[in-house]
Amino acid sequence: MPLYEYLCLDCRRVSEHLVFREEDFQPYCRRCGSRRMRKLVSRVRVRLSLDSRLERLADPALFGDLNEEDPRQVKRFMERMGAEFGDELGDEFDQVMSEAEEDIERELSGGSQDDGGEGTQED
């Protein structure tokens, strides 16, 4: 079902409407209620199902050049995933991303301040 945008000729605001059958639809301004509207040509937006989005993320082409050892590349991949799923990932995702940014900053500034005493010892 397409979303259509209409410009109100009275207040000059754009209203977006989900239109099931265009021949039965009478556009109106969501701000002032006017029926003096002009249909706009706008970008096409497609809303994908959760299954479709997961399938796209599983595409091996996305992982072809991903270096798991490079935190910056992993962060960029996670940002793409975050953009794809938006609010559906919740606050925990935002926290993980913040922690990843802190880890990257620590690594770029010369390593961890506290390694937890888990260094390696050579014989």
Side-chain angles (χ1 to χ4, degrees):
M1 288 163 259
L3 289 170
Y4 290 107
E5 291 181 327
Y6 296 87
L7 175 68
C8 177
L9 300 175
D10 291 332
C11 73
R12 309 299 292 171
R13 293 288 181 131
V14 174
S15 293
E16 187 177 83
H17 296 278
L18 178 64
V19 179
F20 297 100
R21 290 180 38 148
E22 193 171 6
E23 58 273 2
D24 296 337
F25 181 69
Q26 292 292 322
Y28 62 93
C29 179
R30 293 185 183 273
R31 180 171 182 238
C32 72
S34 173
R35 296 250 179 219
R36 290 180 7 103
M37 306 293 285
R38 183 178 75 211
K39 188 175 182 182
L40 299 175
V41 176
S42 56
R43 294 186 304 169
V44 174
R45 213 171 21 170
V46 177
R47 185 163 197 128
L48 299 174
S49 69
L50 177 60
D51 289 341
S52 296
R53 291 183 286 165
L54 287 172
E55 190 174 305
R56 278 178 42 180
L57 282 176
D59 182 358
L62 288 177
F63 303 104
D65 60 345
L66 179 65
N67 178 357
E68 296 172 357
E69 301 300 318
D70 184 347
R72 289 174 290 196
Q73 285 188 19
V74 173
K75 180 179 176 276
R76 279 193 297 270
F77 175 76
M78 290 181 67
E79 286 171 342
R80 268 191 284 172
M81 187 170 63
E84 186 70 37
F85 288 95
D87 293 336
E88 296 173 40
L89 294 175
D91 295 334
E92 290 177 13
F93 181 78
D94 294 336
Q95 184 175 347
V96 167
M97 289 300 292
S98 293
E99 291 171 4
E101 288 173 4
E102 291 171 8
D103 289 346
I104 291 169
E105 288 177 24
R106 259 196 309 272
E107 184 174 307
L108 292 176
S109 68
S112 173
Q113 299 286 334
D114 177 18
D115 66 2
E118 294 182 21
T120 57
Q121 187 175 14
E122 294 188 27
D123 293 320

